Amino acid sequence: MRNKERLAVLGAGHVGPVIARLAIAAGYPVAIATSGDPDDIALITELVIPGAQPRWASDAIADADTVVLAIPLHRFAELDPGLLAGKIVVDAMNYWPASDGVLTAFEDDSGSANSRGSSEIVARRLAGSAVVKALNHIGYHELEDRARPAGAPDRRAAGLAGDDPAAVAAVAELTSRLGYDPVRLGALRGGRVLQPGGPVFGQVLTLPEFERAVDEEARSLR
Ligand SMILES: NC(=O)c1ccc[n+]([C@@H]2O[C@H](COP(=O)([O-])OP(=O)(O)OC[C@H]3O[C@@H](n4cnc5c(N)ncnc54)[C@H](OP(=O)(O)O)[C@@H]3O)[C@@H](O)[C@H]2O)c1
């Protein structure tokens, strides 16, 4: 691993701290940020994400190679794309109208499931970043509990997709070091299978089970 690769995790709610903890355990330097003052999360960070550095989001992003978006999608519009330019951006967000409200830009207007990928829409806004959809489809409890080192017999798989091959390689390595067999699904469009309504969303599958689920979905769409 490039030990110096620095991670900024935006979001200190449910999934952000889990990703941060797994990344610290894997040896990544990690900064964590909310939309507010890092002093507000200093104590909780010390207690639940020991080793992570609470920072202002803009500072965390500026010093990071990879930025994980672990914020609700309805807050995404608050982020300044300029700050994220030149970064690898891991989009761990999902579109949940029940909690996000209806976001017109992310609505499926075709009537068929997964005909619009939320990460493709995110990537359009972050045109200067290399967006990789990853770490979005496993619930935060399981993401932590089911993480296993490479080669463990009960290791599970996690999918990722992106248009920039170097970014995809970096995020595949991150996924692996966090504890999951990375499954590359091709370009960002291929990540639609990872989102709510897709065949692996909410599932914690072994590599063969994951590949089978994705293949069956692809066959059903032919
Ligand atoms: N929960 C899961 O199991 C899970 C698993 C995988 C993926 N996801 C996805 O991950 C995203 C976050 O889910 P969650 O359940 O962790 O949400 P959450 O518990 O509501 O936490 C959201 C966090 O994002 C922060 N935040 C909001 N706007 C921000 C901004 N502009 N800059 C920096 N931080 C900001 C919030 O802090 P402030 O409001 O104080 O800024 C809060 O710490 C969602 O899109 C969800 O679908 C969730």
Side-chain angles (χ1 to χ4, degrees):
M1 184 185 96
R2 290 163 301 227
N3 275 317
K4 295 264 186 297
E5 189 177 322
R6 291 155 305 174
L7 238 61
V9 177
L10 300 194
H14 292 104
V15 76
V18 168
I19 293 170
R21 274 198 293 275
L22 292 174
I24 287 166
Y28 289 85
V30 175
I32 187 152
T34 64
S35 61
D37 191 327
D39 284 347
D40 294 345
I41 58 166
L43 181 60
I44 192 80
T45 300
E46 202 179 314
L47 293 173
V48 301
I49 326 169
Q53 201 187 0
R55 300 192 73 185
W56 289 101
S58 53
D59 296 337
I61 294 168
D63 285 344
D65 304 292
T66 298
V67 180
V68 180
L69 301 184
I71 70 174
L73 195 57
H74 71 270
R75 306 281 303 272
F76 170 63
E78 293 171 21
L79 297 179
D80 174 0
L83 289 178
L84 291 159
K87 309 289 179 184
I88 295 173
V89 172
V90 175
D91 178 12
M93 301 180 294
N94 295 294
Y95 178 38
W96 275 116
S99 59
D100 286 313
V102 172
L103 304 176
T104 313
F106 292 90
E107 274 294 296
D108 180 350
D109 50 11
S110 76
S112 69
N114 290 324
S115 69
R116 183 177 280 209
S118 65
S119 293
E120 293 155 69
I121 296 159
V122 165
R124 230 172 283 149
R125 183 157 178 269
L126 303 183
S129 309
V131 175
V132 179
K133 186 180 194 69
L135 304 175
N136 72 298
H137 69 88
I138 299 178
Y140 72 104
H141 273 306
E142 289 159 312
L143 190 65
E144 185 145 49
D145 293 348
R146 302 289 194 100
R148 296 288 184 278
D154 58 346
R155 185 156 139 119
R156 305 289 159 145
L160 65 145
D163 297 339
D164 179 316
V168 167
V171 178
E173 186 180 328
L174 173 69
T175 302
S176 178
R177 295 190 68 91
L178 261 48
Y180 291 85
D181 284 328
V183 183
R184 299 180 194 209
L185 296 159
L188 214 41
R189 185 186 169 87
R192 293 177 183 190
V193 294
L194 302 173
Q195 62 188 23
V200 297
F201 185 79
Q203 310 282 329
V204 198
L205 305 172
T206 62
L207 183 56
E209 287 169 343
F210 189 111
E211 289 174 340
R212 203 175 314 129
V214 170
D215 282 353
E216 278 168 12
E217 169 86 354
R219 269 199 298 278
S220 78
L221 294 176
R222 266 182 216 142

